[in-house]
Amino acid sequence: MRGQILGVDARTGDGLVAGDDGRRYTFRPEDWANQGQPAIGLKVDFDTEDLRARSIFPLPGQVPARQAPAPAAVVSDRNKLVAALLAFFIGVLGVHRFYLGRTGSGIVMLVLSITVVGLLLTVPWSIIDMIRYLVMSDEEFAARYARR
């Protein structure tokens, strides 16, 4: 059957094809039988299995209407090692939270650290934060703590 690609999820590679029969068929990345990536507007030939497109090939001479946008890499000006060191050495004061732009929780930690009971809360809180920063991937850290 022939059809046209209606959409492709840039993160997962899942997509939707409008068949010439008027039905819509879903597909997964493993259904794409050609090198390269499927693109919106591309005319394709495919086999069907229920409402799923299989063995999808672009028709010869087709130029996609527009490529599916690639996800942009998030870049952060903050360093997770610096945040972890701040959390370890002066984390009870919430300095690492201020460094990461989390001023609300930084103020809470600063106010709590005035009392002994508050210190019993902020010490484990800062240690847990330090461990979280060190275990977190660079991409996740950048996405979570990027300046907005």
Side-chain angles (χ1 to χ4, degrees):
M1 176 178 300
R2 292 190 178 194
Q4 183 176 9
I5 295 181
L6 295 177
V8 179
D9 185 335
R11 292 174 290 130
T12 63
D14 295 348
L16 192 64
V17 175
D20 287 345
D21 63 352
R23 291 184 175 182
R24 294 183 179 195
Y25 300 90
T26 60
F27 67 88
R28 306 221 2 105
E30 60 268 13
D31 298 325
W32 186 251
N34 193 39
Q35 288 185 339
Q37 298 293 320
I40 296 172
L42 191 66
K43 301 273 187 190
V44 294
D45 186 42
F46 60 95
D47 294 328
T48 63
E49 181 179 296
D50 294 324
L51 290 177
R52 182 150 173 196
R54 301 273 190 176
S55 302
I56 306 169
F57 288 93
L59 293 176
Q62 290 296 306
V63 178
R66 68 180 175 98
Q67 292 286 359
V74 178
V75 178
S76 177
D77 59 342
R78 296 177 177 121
N79 186 319
K80 73 178 192 176
L81 184 58
V82 170
L85 289 172
L86 287 172
F88 183 74
F89 288 111
I90 49 179
V92 294
L93 300 175
V95 175
H96 63 289
R97 291 285 178 153
F98 288 108
Y99 171 72
L100 295 174
R102 305 289 201 242
T103 55
S105 59
I107 291 170
V108 168
M109 289 184 82
L110 185 61
V111 170
L112 282 174
S113 65
I114 294 172
T115 66
V116 175
V117 174
L119 284 174
L120 294 174
L121 295 173
T122 58
V123 168
W125 186 357
S126 61
I127 292 171
I128 290 169
D129 279 349
M130 177 198 64
I131 293 169
R132 278 186 40 232
Y133 303 149
L134 293 174
V135 172
M136 195 179 298
S137 71
D138 292 336
E139 294 80 19
E140 183 182 355
F141 184 86
R144 182 171 293 190
Y145 299 111
R147 287 187 196 256
R148 300 187 201 301

